[in-house]
């Protein structure tokens, strides 16, 4: 399944794809936009790929941007995968959400409020942790003071 590279022209829906590639509340939309934009070797797309490579909190998106940059013949280095905090200060966000809930709240209450208050944090960790996300978040919640 080889990818067709269209040189020196932008897709008709470029502005929409550009917005999706930068949408902090939806890692899947960012990933899909990066993959779609990766078919167009233009300076604008290269700039977006470099930004996703350097700044995206979800490693899968960084990997896609890296691969696309290499396919375009650009020099790129894949950053090391973050071992601890995917989003700087996330633990403080978790504590704030937990403290804003009644003492007898459930994990589901916590997860719902986190998603409502900080979808960017929720989404980044969901994208990074994959199928282990719920168990990981529940463990984080249980260990909050």
């Amino acid at each position: 399944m080889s990818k067709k590279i269209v040189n020196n022209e932008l897709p008709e829906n470029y502005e929409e794809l550009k917005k999706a590639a930068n949408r902090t509340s939806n890692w899947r939309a960012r990933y899909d936009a990066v993959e779609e934009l990766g078919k167009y070797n233009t300076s604008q797309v290269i700039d977006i790929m470099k930004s996703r490579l350097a700044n995206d909190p979800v490693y899968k998106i960084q990997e896609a941007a890296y691969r696309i940059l290499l396919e375009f013949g650009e020099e790129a280095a894949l950053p090391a995968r973050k071992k601890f905090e995917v989003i700087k200060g996330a633990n403080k966000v978790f504590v704030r959400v937990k403290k804003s809930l009644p003492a007898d709240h459930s994990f589901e209450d916590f997860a719902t409020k986190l998603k409502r208050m900080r979808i960017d944090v929720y989404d980044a960790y969901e994208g990074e942790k994959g199928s282990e996300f719920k168990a990981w978040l529940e463990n984080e919640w249980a260990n909050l003071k």
Side-chain angles (χ1 to χ4, degrees), residues 56-68:
D56 205 288
V58 177
Y59 199 70
K60 181 176 181 175
I61 296 169
Q62 289 180 319
E63 288 176 319
Y66 171 74
R67 174 181 40 78
I68 290 164

Side-chain angles (χ1 to χ4, degrees), residues 38 44 64 89 99:
Q44 296 97 319
K99 286 184 175 181

Side-chain angles (χ1 to χ4, degrees), residues 2-138:
S2 70
K3 178 162 58 165
K4 181 180 171 202
I5 304 288
V6 179
N7 287 315
N8 300 322
E9 64 180 73
L10 291 170
E12 289 181 23
N13 61 343
Y14 170 73
E15 288 301 323
E16 178 185 320
L17 288 170
K18 180 181 172 183
K19 285 179 188 170
N22 293 305
R23 189 167 292 130
T24 59
S25 64
N26 190 334
W27 75 269
R28 288 172 188 87
R30 284 197 316 278
Y31 180 79
D32 291 344
V34 163
E35 287 293 337
E36 185 60 29
L37 286 167
K39 298 175 185 175
Y40 301 89
N41 187 350
T42 68
S43 61
Q44 296 97 319
V45 169
I46 289 168
D47 288 346
I48 291 170
M49 294 302 150
K50 286 180 178 179
S51 175
R52 290 299 89 214
L53 176 61
N55 303 312
D56 205 288
V58 177
Y59 199 70
K60 181 176 181 175
I61 296 169
Q62 289 180 319
E63 288 176 319
Y66 171 74
R67 174 181 40 78
I68 290 164
L69 286 167
L70 293 182
E71 288 172 2
F72 287 173
E74 295 290 315
E75 286 190 29
L78 188 61
R81 182 178 223 126
K82 293 179 182 167
K83 291 183 180 177
F84 302 107
E85 280 194 325
V86 171
I87 300 282
K88 189 173 169 75
N91 199 21
K92 290 179 183 176
V93 171
F94 298 155
V95 168
R96 200 170 352 181
V97 170
K98 186 169 185 169
K99 286 184 175 181
S100 74
L101 291 164
D104 63 346
H105 72 274
S106 67
F107 166 69
E108 287 72 22
D109 295 334
F110 172 79
T112 300
K113 186 148 190 187
L114 174 63
K115 191 172 186 177
R116 195 172 68 245
M117 285 178 65
R118 290 295 303 270
I119 186 67
D120 59 323
V121 173
Y122 185 95
D123 185 75
Y125 279 97
E126 181 186 41
E128 190 62 24
K129 300 293 182 186
S131 63
E132 299 168 9
F133 171 67
K134 188 173 180 182
W136 172 84
L137 185 61
E138 190 163 6

